[in-house]
Amino acid sequence: MKMKRVLGIIVVIAVLASALYYWERDELKPVEKPALWGLTDPPALANMSWEKTRNAEVLKVENGSAPQLYGEVIAELQDLGYAMSSGNWSRTNCQWSLWERAGGKTYYVAYNGSTFLAVRGKSSGVLNETRREWLCGKPSGLFIASAPSPWKAAEVLAIGLGKELMDANISIGQANWSGPLPDWYLAKFSFGAKAGDGVQVLILIYSKDDQVRYAEYVLRKADGSLRFMESDAGQYRALIVLKGRKSDVDRVLSVLVGAPKA
């Protein structure tokens, strides 16, 4: 099941040329910073009374807010780029899941109808702690989820874009992005397209459209010559940034989304 889901995501992303969006904007309008910008931990769990243990931090909520808190945390973990690595969704009376993110903490969250449990910290510490604190089953050896990480989504999208360019006789290769970067993103991937003097392509992964809009605003403010596209990337959203001589970028855009607007 895991392999089928991953292959399905790869197939969807690999044919994204028809789903890419390109635009020209004549003026730079301010964009408000999204609420989840720059965060590494779910805001629903901020200012909570965590118990520090030798292995991790543990939080238990056993009041009427437990079910709402569970739903909010699951949604925020996804929006902050955490990928569910394992979980048990087959039981309606009790669910748990383990979430991981590159550069972030590992989270174990569970809810049994009356109690919400969260354990966070380094992966090994969280797994050790859940052997003592768990509601619905131990995280190891049970159902393995197949949600791709933001970094995998960026890589797979780059493969799809690269294939479109190579089919049009534009070769691609490694290239470090030399333009500006926003101060927050879930993942990034860059490559070079050998069109004319060369075009640098940067892929930035986000979870929401407002994050994509704000990232574009930050980049356009730093360099008005950059060009932008956006696309779906599995369960994420991608901002695709192109840097190079205008005629070279136009050639790349004409392959990926058709002739650019005048």
Side-chain angles (χ1 to χ4, degrees):
M1 181 182 297
K2 178 179 179 181
M3 183 57 68
K4 288 183 178 179
R5 289 185 184 179
V6 172
L7 288 175
I9 292 169
I10 291 175
V11 169
V12 169
I13 296 178
V15 295
L16 279 177
S18 61
L20 290 167
Y21 297 91
Y22 168 77
W23 60 93
E24 294 277 10
R25 293 198 172 107
D26 296 329
E27 57 181 315
L28 183 63
K29 297 180 180 179
V31 177
E32 184 177 354
K33 181 184 290 188
L36 291 180
W37 187 271
L39 300 179
T40 57
D41 298 300
L45 297 179
N47 303 317
M48 292 284 191
S49 298
W50 292 84
E51 175 191 354
K52 291 187 177 181
T53 69
R54 194 173 81 177
N55 297 314
E57 293 180 288
V58 179
L59 172 69
K60 267 188 180 179
V61 177
E62 299 178 293
N63 55 38
S65 66
Q68 179 180 349
L69 182 61
Y70 175 71
E72 289 177 352
V73 170
I74 292 294
E76 289 174 354
L77 284 169
Q78 291 176 325
D79 289 342
L80 291 174
Y82 284 82
M84 186 173 66
S85 59
S86 58
N88 179 6
W89 299 96
S90 61
R91 296 170 58 183
T92 57
N93 61 335
C94 197
Q95 295 183 351
W96 66 266
S97 51
L98 191 69
W99 299 79
E100 297 178 283
R101 171 185 158 179
K105 301 182 181 75
T106 293
Y107 274 86
Y108 168 88
V109 294
Y111 175 66
N112 67 359
S114 61
T115 300
F116 168 77
L117 170 68
V119 183
R120 71 183 184 186
K122 292 183 178 179
S123 181
S124 59
V126 170
L127 291 174
N128 287 333
E129 192 61 36
T130 53
R131 295 187 177 98
R132 184 176 68 87
E133 296 276 359
W134 56 279
L135 296 178
C136 312
K138 298 178 182 179
S140 58
L142 292 176
F143 173 75
I144 303 300
S146 60
S149 70
W151 292 92
K152 185 62 178 180
E155 179 184 354
V156 173
L157 179 55
I159 292 172
L161 296 176
K163 182 179 184 301
E164 292 292 326
L165 293 170
M166 288 188 293
D167 287 346
N169 296 317
I170 298 177
S171 60
I172 63 171
Q174 294 182 344
N176 293 324
W177 176 255
S178 65
L181 279 171
D183 60 358
W184 188 78
Y185 45 82
L186 301 182
K188 67 180 176 69
F189 194 101
S190 62
F191 64 92
K194 296 180 181 179
D197 291 340
V199 174
Q200 294 179 32
V201 181
L202 172 69
I203 296 172
L204 295 170
I205 299 295
Y206 293 98
S207 60
K208 289 181 171 295
D209 284 334
D210 62 349
Q211 296 170 353
V212 171
R213 297 285 181 267
Y214 184 72
E216 183 204 344
Y217 166 71
V218 170
L219 291 173
R220 291 186 73 220
K221 190 175 180 181
D223 186 346
S225 69
L226 298 175
R227 312 279 281 282
F228 300 89
M229 299 184 294
E230 66 177 80
S231 173
D232 290 326
Q235 67 186 36
Y236 304 105
R237 295 289 295 162
L239 179 66
I240 303 163
V241 193
L242 299 97
K243 175 180 171 62
R245 192 174 58 177
K246 185 179 185 303
S247 59
D248 300 335
V249 173
D250 284 346
R251 183 183 174 196
V252 171
L253 287 170
S254 68
V255 172
L256 296 178
V257 293
K261 298 176 182 177

